[in-house]
Each structure stands twice: as C-alpha cells, then as structure tokens.
Amino acid sequence: VTQPKNTFLTGTLELIVLQLLQAEPTNGYDLTLRIQAISRDVLSVNAGSLYPALYRLEQRGLLKASWQLSETGRRTKVYAVTTAGRRQLAEQRESWERFSGALEAILRVTG
Amino acid sequence: MIRRALLHVRSVLLRRRLEREMQEEMAEHLERATARFMSRGLSADDARRAAEREFGNLAWLQEQARDARGTAWLDALAGDLRYAVRQYARRPATTVVMFLVLAIGMSIATLLFSFVHSFATQPPPGVTLTDDMMRIRGSQSAGSFGRGARSFGEDEFAAYGQLSGHFAEVAGWTAASAALDAGPEPERRGLEARVTFVTDNYFSLLGVRPLLGAGLATTASDDSFRTATAVISHATWDRLFDRDPDIVGTTVTLNGVSATIAGVTPERFLGVAGWGDYRLWMPLSARELLFADGPALFSAAGRLQPGVTPQQATAAAQVVAAVHAAAAADADRAAARGANMPLDPSTEVVPLRSASGDPMYERDVKLMSGLVGLLALLVLLITCTNVSALLTGLAAARRHEIAVRLSLGAARPRLIRQLLTESALLAFLAAAAALGIVWAALRTVFAAITELPLEPRLTLPATAFTFGVALGVGVLFGLSPALHATRLAVAGVLRDASANVVATRARLQRTLVVAQIAFTQPLIVLLSALLLLVLTEFQAAPRSEYADRTMVLSLRTWSNSAASPEAAAQLREQMRNTTFLLAERLRATPGVVGVAPTGYGQTRIGGYIATPDRPADAALDVVRLSKSHVHPDYFDVMGIPVLRGRTFAQDEGVPPRGTAPVPAIIDRGLARRMWPGGDAIGRELRPASDTVTRSPTLVVVGVVDAPAARRQVAGIDHFIFLPLDTAQHALAGSAGGSMAPGELLLRTALPAHTLLPTVRALAQAEAPGASVTLRTLADIADEHERNFRLAATGVSAAGLMALLLAAIGLYAVIAFSVGQRTREIAVRMALGGHRPQVVRRFVADGLRLTAVGLLVGLPVSLFALRTLMSAAGTPHVPLPPVTVLAGLSVVLVAAVAAWIPARRAAAVDPAVTLRSE
C-alpha cells in the first residue's frame, strides 16, 4: 500500500489552493501544474493530497465547482472561490503573515 | 451553518452523481498527465504508467475523497445492512422467532403506552383540542377518598365568565335525565334520555360542528312558549331514527315539552362528560321548560387568554371559589338550615382531557403511568432477555467467522458496529411491525366500541416511544453479545480449543436462563390468576327456566327531582302508589302470571353462624352471603320452589330493630351447610360478629331451591331472603328492606317479548311522563354473558400472548444453551454414552436451572399475586394451585426446550459433530 506523503501542512495546502483559485478558477490537473510552476518545482502537490483538499473545501462551502468545456472541448470540473472562501482566505493570509513575520524576526534576531 | 448542512444533505442525496463526477474528474486528470508524459517522448503505455505513479493509489484516493465529502459512513452502513440481511437469511427460523418476540413485546408495550398517553393527553372524543382549552373544575374534600367533583351554582359560574383577564371565553353546561318520546310507537316512548343544557358558545368552544343541521338556536323569550331546539347524539340518531337523513326539523318530546331537532353531532362526540344511551343537547334557556324546579348546577370549560398560564387562571378561580363559599355559608346560616356545604371547596383550571373533570385525575394519571409503566417494563425485560439470549447464541455460533475477520485486520469497533447494525435492523423492522399491529388493534377494537369516553390513539409520542424502545433494544441488547463475541482470543477460537471461552459463555447462558424464568414466572402466575378470577367471578348464570318469561320493569320520573326533601318524599310516595296500581292492572292482564314489587337488589353481608346448635365455625366466615328483601310473590314469579316451610305472609315486614328475630328464607345449600342432616325451620342465625355488622338475628321460616338466583351477584355462595317492607318508602330510615318505588318483577305465560308492548303501554298510561325500562331476565343474562365472554376473551388473549412470548424466550434460551454444548454431547456419545442417558442428563440440567429461576422469581410472584387479590377484593382464588400450575407450565416448556436440541445433538454421528465444530 503506497500512501502519498504530505510534504507540507494541510493548512498551508488550503491556503495555496484558495489563493491560486482566487487568482483564477481552474480544474484540478491545471492546479497541480500551476503550483509546481509558480513554486519553481519546490512544492510538488500530488493528486492524493489535492483532490481530498478540494472536496473538503467544497464540502465546507469555501469552493464552488462547475462543469465547463476546456479549450480542447473536453468536459472539465472548474473550481472557484466563494464569498465564504474569500473571507477564509483573508483570515488565513493574515495569520500566515503574522506567523512568518514572527519566524523571520526570530531567525533574524538570533541569527 | 445552514449552508453546510445543505451541502451535507446534497452529498448524501446526490451520492451517486458525485461519485460519478469524481471518477470522471480523476480520469481526465490521468489522461492529461498521460498526454503530458507522451509529449516528452514516452510510449503510450509508459506514459500511462508514469501518470498513474504520479497520481498515486487511485482507490485509496477515492476513499479519501469520499471521506472528505463525509458520506463514507453511508456506504459502510449500506454494506453493513446488506451483510446483516445475508446473515439473517442464513438463519430464517431464529430470525423469525426473534422478529416475532420483538414485535409482540413492542406492540404490548406500545399499546400500554398509547393507553396511558391518550388518557393523559387526549381530549374528550370528538373535541378539537387546542392548547388554551381548559376545564374549570370544581372540587371538594371527599374525606378518605381524596377529593370529589363539585358543580358550580349559577352565581359562581357567572363569576368565572367575568374573569376576562384570564379567560377569552367560558362555556358551561348542566345535565339532567328526562323522559323522551321519539315517536308514537310504545317502544319509542318513555325512554330515559340524558339532556345537557349548554351555553351558546359550548359547541364553538369545543370545536364541534354538527354532522347534520345548523345546531342549536337560542330560544327567544317571545317565542311560542313550549318549544325548544335540541341537537341529538350520533348514537341516538342511529338507534332511534335509523340514521334518517331528514331528521333535522322533526320534533321529539322531552318531559312533555316538544323540541325541534336542530342537528346531529359527529359520531365520536359524546359531550365533555356524562353517560346515557340517548344523549341530547339543548340551549340553557330550555332548561326551565323541562324542569320547573331548583337552580341548575354547572360544569365549565374555558379558553385562556393568550399568555395566561393554567396556574394563573387557577389562582384567580380559587379566589372566586372562596368568595362564593363564604357567601353560601352566610346564606346557609341565615336560613338556619343544616350544614350541607361542600367541605374545603376549591376550583382548579386544568387542561381539557377526557377525564380531567375528576379531581383525582392527575393522581390517576400518575398511578396509571406507574402501573402500566411497570407492566410494560416487565414485558420489555422479557423481550430483551429473549432477544439478547438469541443474539448471544447467534454471535457465539459465529465466533469462528468473527475470529477470521479479526485476524484479517478488521478493527474491533468495526465488527461491533456490524453486529449492532444487525440487531438494530431487526429491532427497527419489529418496531414497524409493532406499530402496524397497534394501529390495526386500535382501529378495529376501539372503533367497534362506539361510546368509549376515551379514544386511545397511536400518537406521535407513542410512535417515538416504540422506535426509542427499538433503538434501546437494538443497541443495548445487541451490544452485550457483540462485545462478548469480539472479545475472543483469535488464536484460541481458530484452534477451536478454548475451554475458557466455552466456560464464560456457558455462565452467561445460565444466568440468562435463570433471569428469563425469574421474569416469566410472575407474569404467568398473574395472568393465570387473572383468568381464574374472571372465570370464577363471571360464571355464566344458570338460566331460570322462566328467564324469557320474566321481566323487570322500572319507571322513572325526572322532572321536579329535588326541589325539597318534603317534595321528594311526596314524589316517592306517589310513585309507590303508582307502582301498586300498575301491579294491580298487570295482574289483571291476560298472559301475566305473577307480579311482585322488588327491593334494592342484593347486598353482600357479613357471616352468620347457626346458634345455639353450632359453635362459631371459622370455615363459615369465608362463605359469601347475599341478602335481598323480597315480596311474598317473588318466589312464585321467579319460579323458585319452596322446599320446606313457607314464604312470607303478605303483611309480614321487618320488625323494628332488636324486638324480634327477622323471618328469613334461606337457600338449600346454606341450610345443608348450617344444619347438616337436620331441619332448618325454626332455627336461628346470629351474626358472626355483632359489633361489626350490626345485622339482626334471623329465624328461618323457609328453605328454597334457588339455583336461578345464583350468580346474579359476582361470587356469592348462598342467599338469604328477608321480607320486603312495602309500607315504608325508600331511604326514609326504616328497619331495612324498603321497597324500590317504580320497580316491578313480572312473569308471563308466554315468552315475555310478546307482551312487551302491552306492558309498556299500560305503564305509560299509569305513569304518564315517566320513562319506562323493560328487560327480560334472559336479556339481562345475555348481557351478562356477553360481558363475560368479552372479559374472558380479552384476558385469555393477553394471557396467551404473554405465555407465547415467555415460552418462546424460555425455549430459545434453553435450546441455545443446550445447543452450545453439542460438542460436549458428541464427546459423551463418542465415549460410548448411552443415548437416552445423555439426553436425560441434559434435560435434568435444564430443569435444575429452571428450579433456581422459579425459586428466584417466587417472592415476586407471591407479592404480585397478593397485590392483585387485594385489589380484586377476593381471597377466593386458590393461591397455591395457581402458583403450582404456573410453575408446572414453566417446567414443561423448559423440559421440551432442553429435550429437543439434546436429542438432536445426540442423534448426530459424534465424528461429524466434532469435525464441524
């Protein structure tokens, strides 16, 4: 039984997913590619973590999914951030910035 | 929050679609990844594999995704249910037994609960209940009986109507009996009707609309004097008018006043309280037309103002009650009359229920809830032990399967959930069946009894109760076997040599057997005692050969009933004279053989002892005697032969107390019992205990053969007849035995019904305006027998059901405990055991357990039996035989239950048994 390893915290994945989908609604496959491209291959999100995260966010009402036709004419499921999702994203960003600011301060002072 | 709930509902409802979409989405992902790898130069197959590797374990991922959607449990539940159904299908016999036990147990409990709940919550039949509908109930102290009902005088009733701060409206009524003429035919004249005079808002407050007609109209004062309107009950419409659709507008006569029928009430409506075969409702203003005398006494109901609680309204009503009690006491003193005031009068405002007019209603509800709750609990306990035992047996039989699943890595909670699903599924199906049974029972049985003052219903709480019980039974009693079965040491079970496990299981089984018997015994004892009680107390009366030629006639006048004591006495005197005149007329009528005035029926009396010939005899204390005062012609009319001595003389009365012995005629059985072999005539009978009974000394003047009179009163051994005092009128404090005015007993030469119209017409002519009731002794006996059959059928049905339940459970428990030891039986057989010997050994073992159970349950049985006997007021059900009988039936079931599986196990080739175990 192979189980995909989480390379980073689930909370962070949610933040990334919400942030990227707010910038532009897209489907699951393109989202994995985009995470990889933007993070310059530092972050590699496999499907095993992404899809459960997407479903969980959808179930909580933070994402809304709709079936659309892609440029190639295929049916594809596109996720977009809802109003509740935007609120959640703002909160998560704020707490992340507080956290990373604090971490940076610690590293700078003691470094 | 709501949004998330909706999303959850969506994911449950659209499970299949979402599942399909997920598959599609992931397939698309894989395809595009494959395409990407191919564009990098990989072959189609390699690209596919690379994409799959990158994607991860698809099945696991899908499971994760389902978890994320929160619907995984649903799939698991569906799986568990499918598994449970398969398990049950494999053991159809056990499943059916468990289902039946549960269904029967739950329907009894639900029926009991529905009764109590309906009693506590249902309005009088036919009334549309709202929360603000209240009964304004007067009460007064009734000494040791608690509190009794009290009606309101006109002023007090009006005062409640003026509490407009508390009541939006108040309706009142006052009821009285009247003689009803429904038509010119003799059999439709002189009927006793119950008339309720009501305020204008009575029907609207109760939410009752007439089935036919417009309902009551108030009598205008300038209206032609002697007319009124009346609404008749559905039963009256049915019985007297054959459901004539054109009934509205026709007239009837009540106490000589003609009334126009203005409507028919809906079928179930009987009014707020009361009784009577023929019920009518009239406007309050019509009362003075029918009854010239006395002030009316009111009962009341009301609707609360919004926001007012019954407690606040009660407080206000108490003040009114106190003020009126004080005023009445003053008036009483001023008039220098004897204190005839209610003791501690009070008024309460309570929710309108079918029986809440009774001041003891709240206590009754508590009492009934407790009693019925206890009974239901006993039934449920037995049900649960039954099912629990069966489930333990099942789970134990499946220990191999469970061990296999545990060793394959199934989590213990998962397995317990599986087993719980099984028991819960069965319990819920049984609950649904039980609801069906109760619903059908209430519909068929109680629909047949049209004039039940209470309408038991299958209410929402009753339904909730049943399913709550089902859940409890399913979880609680599925839990113990489930825990028991999954606690096994896997290796031990798989090796199939765990002596430990067998031992603990056997202990549990044995405890269940003992518990089962301990619970069952009191139930069987109680039910057989009840059956015996019914059988002995309500024995079908042996018919007199003249039963269809003897009739009881009673005349009643209703108007001017209680104007004053003097007027009442005068009325009774008048009625006495009328009765004698009528008796003369009847004697002169062709076809009439004999006529006799009667007394007030039979009364039970204390024991008598024969003196001076015999000393006090303890055995005679328990002889139940009944005395009745009879006219000299009584024996002739009833066809009772005088065996020895004489009947009473025409002018023979009861001498004043203490002056001389009272002449008495006794039945042959009593004579034989008191003076065996001797002559009873001229002997004296003294009260067994003077201080308690204060009965007079009797001298026997005659002995009769009185089989025809036997069993008229429940549970009477012997009869003593004393002279009827025709000179004294009723209730005037005579030495006893006064005549009941208006009552005659007559015998005809031909079957009495041929003479009914003639007798009725004569009675009506002699006593115009009185109601006439005529019944033959055969009619009375028929009714008696009908009641007896009804009671006997009811008790027998309930008893058989409980016995069946108990027997099934007992059988299951013992059969399983023996079945569990199949292996032991096989070993014994393999060692050369003699087959009958082995079987006998197991039956003896089962009987030993039964004996323990019987001993444990005995105190409970005896206590229950004593309680029942003292409640029924008869020590005459033979206690030891009942207990022995109940014990024997338990032992019989236990023996059969042990014998069948033991024989079956012993019949199988030991090698086969040992291999399969």
Side-chain angles (χ1 to χ4, degrees):
Chain A
V1 179
T2 56
Q3 294 195 359
K5 271 181 282 176
N6 280 331
T7 45
F8 45 82
L9 299 166
T10 337
T12 331
L13 179 60
E14 282 185 10
L15 178 63
I16 294 167
V17 167
L18 285 173
Q19 175 69 32
L20 288 176
L21 287 177
Q22 188 183 350
E24 189 191 351
T26 184
N27 61 28
Y29 178 74
D30 287 331
L31 198 61
T32 49
L33 294 186
R34 199 165 298 173
I35 293 170
Q36 239 165 315
I38 295 177
S39 70
R40 300 179 213 293
D41 286 334
V42 171
L43 301 176
S44 161
V45 179
N46 69 16
S49 342
L50 182 70
Y51 282 105
L54 283 174
Y55 294 147
R56 214 172 296 123
L57 288 170
E58 189 188 358
Q59 189 67 31
R60 280 162 58 194
L62 303 179
L63 293 183
K64 224 179 87 181
S66 56
W67 286 90
Q68 294 177 5
L69 286 181
S70 68
E71 313 95 72
T72 53
R74 306 168 58 101
R75 242 166 72 89
T76 174
K77 197 176 178 186
V78 172
Y79 294 88
V81 181
T82 62
T83 322
R86 260 188 281 285
R87 217 177 302 125
Q88 174 78 8
L89 177 61
E91 277 170 30
Q92 284 201 5
R93 272 185 79 144
E94 201 191 304
S95 76
W96 171 257
E97 273 156 18
R98 260 208 316 273
F99 171 72
S100 65
L103 194 66
E104 208 182 12
I106 288 169
L107 294 176
R108 203 173 45 234
V109 170
T110 54
Chain B
M1 208 59 215
I2 295 169
R3 210 185 130 72
R4 287 189 57 176
L6 280 178
L7 280 166
H8 193 81
V9 169
R10 184 187 81 119
S11 62
V12 170
L13 291 180
L14 303 179
R15 217 154 45 86
R16 276 166 199 279
R17 212 185 84 195
L18 291 173
E19 181 74 28
R20 211 172 48 236
E21 287 184 359
M22 181 184 75
Q23 306 273 8
E24 186 181 341
E25 187 179 20
M26 291 184 177
E28 193 224 344
H29 186 119
L30 273 176
E31 247 170 71
R32 289 189 59 189
T34 309
R36 195 180 77 227
F37 283 117
M38 276 172 75
S39 71
R40 289 188 197 161
L42 286 165
S43 72
D45 281 355
D46 287 347
R48 178 84 197 169
R49 268 195 293 277
E52 278 171 2
R53 205 161 37 244
E54 184 192 62
F55 195 88
N57 184 334
L58 187 67
W60 185 85
L61 177 54
Q62 288 182 347
E63 198 56 43
Q64 286 280 296
R66 281 182 207 117
D67 268 352
R69 282 207 315 263
T71 59
W73 63 271
L74 211 66
D75 296 299
L77 181 67
D80 281 355
L81 284 176
R82 268 195 303 277
Y83 191 79
V85 169
R86 275 204 297 274
Q87 282 297 332
Y88 284 132
R90 207 171 297 159
R91 294 174 176 82
T94 318
T95 307
V96 167
V97 169
M98 286 200 290
F99 177 79
L100 281 181
V101 167
L102 277 172
I104 293 173
M106 279 194 250
S107 31
I108 294 174
T110 308
L111 204 58
L112 290 172
F113 179 81
S114 296
F115 251 117
V116 175
H117 188 253
S118 299
F119 184 68
T121 60
Q122 291 297 302
V127 170
T128 318
L129 191 68
T130 53
D131 284 344
D132 56 356
M133 220 184 255
M134 295 289 142
R135 171 88 195 213
I136 304 170
R137 177 180 76 195
S139 71
Q140 59 183 326
S141 171
S144 57
F145 296 106
R147 294 188 71 78
R150 175 180 73 97
S151 305
F152 307 126
E154 204 159 354
D155 295 347
E156 190 179 352
F157 169 64
Y160 295 120
Q162 280 151 18
L163 291 175
S164 54
H166 294 84
F167 293 107
E169 58 176 325
V170 171
W173 64 95
T174 174
S177 292
L180 166 70
D181 295 339
E185 305 86 346
E187 66 272 14
R188 294 178 66 196
R189 294 183 54 208
L191 304 167
E192 180 183 342
R194 192 71 182 164
V195 186
T196 308
F197 299 96
V198 301
T199 53
D200 297 345
N201 57 351
Y202 176 85
F203 284 107
S204 67
L205 186 132
L206 296 177
V208 175
R209 294 170 61 96
L211 192 69
L212 282 181
L216 293 180
T218 41
T219 329
S221 52
D222 60 340
D223 215 339
S224 59
F225 181 52
R226 294 181 83 81
T227 70
T229 54
V231 165
I232 61 173
S233 72
H234 193 279
T236 310
W237 184 45
D238 184 38
R239 287 175 195 152
L240 279 184
F241 301 103
D242 211 13
R243 302 201 183 200
D244 175 9
D246 301 321
I247 184 73
V248 174
T250 61
T251 57
V252 292
T253 309
L254 284 155
N255 279 3
V257 179
S258 82
T260 308
I261 293 176
V264 177
T265 61
E267 190 164 3
R268 296 308 245 181
F269 183 72
L270 302 169
V272 175
W275 42 268
D277 289 343
Y278 306 111
R279 300 184 203 212
L280 295 95
W281 290 264
M282 298 180 81
L284 202 51
S285 52
R287 186 176 177 275
E288 57 182 23
L289 300 182
L290 269 66
F291 298 93
D293 64 299
L297 285 172
F298 288 90
S299 301
R303 200 180 281 284
L304 289 178
Q305 288 285 11
V308 175
T309 65
Q311 289 75 23
Q312 290 165 341
T314 300
Q318 296 276 23
V319 174
V320 173
V323 167
H324 282 269
D330 286 347
D332 213 40
R333 258 193 301 282
R337 271 183 280 146
N340 197 19
M341 297 297 302
L343 270 167
D344 184 23
S346 159
T347 301
E348 299 105 49
V349 178
V350 291
L352 185 69
R353 301 287 179 259
S354 55
S356 67
D358 181 352
M360 303 304 278
Y361 170 74
E362 285 80 13
R363 193 208 58 172
D364 288 350
V365 168
K366 274 198 206 109
L367 209 71
M368 252 173 90
S369 312
L371 217 72
V372 170
L374 211 71
L375 207 64
L377 197 72
L378 201 67
V379 169
L380 283 178
L381 264 177
I382 290 178
T383 309
C384 288
T385 354
N386 286 358
V387 176
S388 190
L390 288 164
L391 276 176
T392 308
L394 266 190
R398 284 167 59 189
R399 68 187 196 281
H400 198 87
E401 167 214 331
I402 289 167
V404 168
R405 293 180 66 182
L406 279 172
S407 70
L408 284 178
R412 196 159 165 245
R414 183 76 188 73
L415 275 181
I416 290 177
R417 203 170 73 191
Q418 167 70 57
L419 290 170
L420 279 186
T421 308
E422 278 176 33
S423 48
L425 172 71
L426 195 68
F428 275 109
L429 287 180
L435 282 183
I437 292 171
V438 172
W439 181 79
L442 290 180
R443 256 187 84 95
T444 53
V445 177
F446 296 105
I449 311 168
T450 45
E451 298 206 354
L452 206 66
L454 173 71
E455 214 176 347
R457 284 184 186 182
L458 191 60
T459 52
L460 194 65
T463 314
F465 168 81
T466 314
F467 279 102
V469 166
L471 195 69
V473 170
V475 171
L476 226 73
F477 292 87
L479 201 60
S480 79
L483 289 176
H484 183 71
T486 56
R487 209 178 48 220
L488 305 174
V490 174
V493 172
L494 289 181
R495 240 187 298 117
D496 192 22
S498 179
N500 255 349
V501 172
V502 173
T504 48
R505 193 174 60 241
R507 242 194 330 273
L508 181 66
Q509 291 278 8
R510 277 161 180 274
T511 318
L512 281 173
V513 171
V514 171
Q516 175 77 29
I517 291 166
F519 286 140
T520 308
Q521 188 200 11
L523 201 71
I524 296 182
V525 166
L526 266 186
L527 285 166
S528 29
L530 214 61
L531 197 65
L532 227 72
L533 202 69
V534 170
L535 288 178
T536 53
E537 294 290 291
F538 297 93
Q539 263 178 26
R543 302 262 176 122
S544 144
E545 59 179 309
Y546 301 117
D548 65 334
R549 275 175 277 169
T550 312
M551 56 177 135
V552 180
L553 182 156
S554 48
L555 293 174
R556 293 259 187 285
T557 47
W558 302 110
S559 52
N560 302 318
S561 49
S564 71
E566 297 78 28
Q570 198 185 345
L571 269 175
R572 273 197 299 273
E573 187 60 29
Q574 243 173 39
M575 181 49 88
R576 199 177 68 88
N577 292 334
T578 309
T579 311
F580 280 127
L581 282 174
L582 180 59
E584 286 313 312
R585 296 279 304 270
L586 286 170
R587 277 193 195 101
T589 306
V592 174
V593 174
V595 181
T598 68
Y600 282 99
Q602 299 167 334
T603 39
R604 285 191 189 195
I605 51 173
Y608 270 87
I609 49 174
T611 52
D613 324 86
R614 277 180 66 149
D617 182 347
L620 284 178
D621 282 347
V622 295
V623 173
R624 292 164 299 175
L625 296 173
S626 148
K627 77 165 181 184
S628 40
H629 290 271
V630 297
H631 189 265
D633 295 343
Y634 172 82
F635 302 102
D636 190 29
V637 171
M638 290 293 287
I640 298 174
V642 179
L643 301 174
R644 305 221 4 100
R646 58 173 178 92
T647 66
F648 302 121
Q650 285 293 339
D651 54 353
E652 196 166 16
V654 177
R657 188 177 294 279
T659 54
V662 178
I665 293 172
I666 61 175
D667 74 31
R668 187 167 56 178
L670 184 60
R672 229 184 263 147
R673 193 161 195 155
M674 293 286 188
W675 298 279
D679 190 1
I681 303 299
R683 308 289 185 109
E684 280 195 354
L685 281 168
R686 288 240 167 84
S689 149
D690 257 319
T691 48
V692 178
T693 58
R694 290 195 301 155
S695 308
T697 301
L698 311 176
V699 58
V700 178
V701 299
V703 176
V704 294
D705 188 13
R710 281 190 64 93
R711 303 286 180 196
Q712 290 282 317
V713 176
I716 290 300
D717 295 323
H718 295 295
F719 289 88
I720 295 179
F721 300 98
L722 303 173
L724 181 72
D725 197 341
T726 47
Q728 294 280 353
H729 33 67
L731 309 173
S734 73
S738 49
M739 175 187 145
E743 300 270 339
L744 285 175
L745 200 63
L746 64 147
R747 194 164 105 226
T748 52
L750 293 170
H753 60 88
T754 56
L755 223 58
L756 274 175
T758 317
V759 174
R760 183 176 277 281
L762 268 174
Q764 276 162 0
E766 203 60 51
S771 71
V772 181
T773 315
L774 271 173
R775 296 203 304 165
T776 65
L777 286 188
D779 289 343
I780 297 172
D782 280 348
E783 192 180 322
H784 193 76
E785 258 169 49
R786 231 185 348 265
N787 290 342
F788 163 73
R789 262 201 301 278
L790 207 68
T793 316
V795 173
S796 321
L800 277 181
M801 207 134 145
L803 210 63
L804 188 72
L805 196 68
I808 290 175
L810 199 57
Y811 180 86
V813 171
I814 293 179
F816 258 106
S817 73
V818 174
Q820 286 303 305
R821 294 166 69 186
T822 308
R823 188 187 165 84
E824 190 188 332
I825 295 175
V827 171
R828 282 176 190 281
M829 293 299 291
L831 289 177
H834 196 44
R835 197 173 131 192
Q837 198 186 351
V838 171
V839 172
R840 234 187 347 261
R841 200 191 131 80
F842 275 83
V843 172
D845 206 34
L847 290 183
R848 233 186 340 267
L849 279 186
T850 311
V852 175
L854 285 178
L855 274 180
V856 171
L858 196 62
V860 185
S861 294
L862 287 179
F863 174 74
L865 207 52
R866 284 205 188 287
T867 315
L868 176 75
M869 289 303 126
S870 68
T874 43
H876 276 265
V877 171
L879 292 183
V882 168
T883 322
V884 169
L885 212 72
L888 275 182
S889 64
V890 169
V891 168
L892 192 73
V893 172
V896 171
W899 181 66
I900 292 179
R903 214 178 66 108
R904 199 187 300 143
V908 178
D909 182 2
V912 174
T913 310
L914 290 174
R915 208 182 313 129
S916 75
E917 265 276 311

